[in-house]
Amino acid sequence: MSGPHVRPPVLGLLPLDTTTDDVRAGQAAVAVLPIGSFEQHGPFLPLMTDTVIACAIAREVASAHPVHCLPPLTISCSHEHAAWPGTVSISAATLHSVVQDIAESLRRSGITNLVLINGHGGNYVLRNVVQESAGTGTRMALFPGPADWNAARERAGVRTPSASDMHAGEVETSILLHDHPELVRPGYETSDFLADDREHMLTLGLRAYTESGVVGRPSLASAEKGKELLAGLVECFAAYISLLTPAESR
């Protein structure tokens, strides 16, 4: 009998022995760039949570579609979490420049379609990066969008409304319980906290609304929901492939 399935390392989107010839042979017309963060996720999820989720989405997408996976950006715009130890941020201008530089480098190597797989809701600047890509020679998309998350949440039977499931809640905990359960510490079962009125979060930071850093209901999380969330997002990604590449190149 074979042993239990062991998932690849969190950041192992490509085998470590991948060479330039392997990439050339793959002839992928679309690159995917996971973008996470390094920020608090309460006492039971790791600082790398958003990066783990972005990488999980990218890996599942790559298993179903011909895309070229890039290594993740692991630090982004987490300024609203600065009150908690461990959180590290870069400026929106820096993130903007890094993504633009990556797109330009891909373009020089012949890949002119780039999907930003965003795992952190605070990376607002990514919408502008995609918007500004028009006319640059690289066609970009931002994934998952709100409609993609809504479809995946419905498929998975997520019970917490999206506005309430803001941070370290049902969705994020479910994905980690499925994808890397060893990263989830005990305590999520009793850490529910709702703070739907966050009108001034950008000014005051998240600490003004939660002491633990949690906003959501992680007690409702399950590995099965995490599996279905990822499956739903993969299904949604098909529309992005159709948009970015002509039928004859797929």
Side-chain angles (χ1 to χ4, degrees):
M1 179 181 295
S2 61
H5 174 65
V6 178
R7 295 196 177 278
V10 170
L11 305 184
L13 296 179
L14 286 175
L16 294 179
D17 61 352
T18 299
T19 68
T20 186
D21 283 350
D22 296 329
V23 175
R24 182 183 295 113
Q27 296 183 326
V30 177
V32 295
L33 175 64
I35 302 176
S37 71
F38 197 74
E39 65 185 38
Q40 72 83 20
H41 274 79
F44 54 86
L45 294 183
L47 296 165
M48 290 283 285
T49 291
D50 291 342
T51 301
V52 174
I53 290 173
C55 287
I57 296 169
R59 188 191 65 241
E60 294 301 309
V61 161
S63 72
H65 302 284
V67 298
H68 174 49
C69 280
L70 298 171
L73 301 184
T74 59
I75 297 178
S76 59
C77 304
S78 301
H79 305 86
E80 68 274 24
H81 299 277
W84 285 274
T87 298
V88 180
S89 291
I90 58 176
S91 70
T94 297
L95 181 57
H96 188 291
S97 294
V98 168
V99 174
Q100 282 190 320
D101 285 352
I102 290 171
E104 181 182 351
S105 182
L106 286 168
R107 196 159 57 242
R108 289 197 299 267
S109 68
I111 297 178
T112 58
N113 299 289
L114 174 61
V115 179
L116 311 179
I117 296 187
N118 182 35
H120 173 48
N123 289 333
Y124 310 112
V125 70
L126 296 180
R127 294 173 60 89
N128 297 111
V129 177
V130 172
Q131 178 190 35
E132 293 170 16
S133 67
T136 65
T138 296
R139 179 171 286 183
M140 288 194 202
L142 184 59
F143 182 81
D148 305 315
W149 276 118
N150 287 341
R153 291 166 62 87
E154 182 175 354
R155 171 176 174 148
V158 171
R159 292 167 54 189
T160 314
S162 57
S164 301
D165 196 46
M166 182 255 178
H167 198 66
E170 185 176 359
V171 165
E172 290 188 319
T173 306
S174 290
I175 292 176
L176 261 68
L177 283 172
H178 165 65
D179 200 65
H180 279 282
E182 74 281 4
L183 300 182
V184 182
R185 297 189 182 186
Y188 71 91
E189 306 92 339
T190 57
S191 293
D192 291 4
F193 185 82
L194 297 180
D196 288 352
D197 181 9
R198 305 183 300 272
E199 183 179 358
H200 300 292
M201 187 183 72
L202 293 182
T203 300
L204 301 176
L206 188 61
R207 189 59 177 268
Y209 301 97
T210 170
E211 286 293 320
S212 68
V214 176
V215 178
R217 294 191 290 176
S219 68
L220 298 178
S222 71
E224 182 60 27
K225 288 179 182 178
K227 178 181 178 181
E228 289 303 312
L229 281 161
L230 290 175
L233 292 176
V234 170
E235 191 172 271
C236 291
F237 193 81
Y240 290 75
I241 286 287
S242 297
L243 181 69
L244 294 172
T245 61
E248 60 269 19
S249 67
R250 282 183 264 127

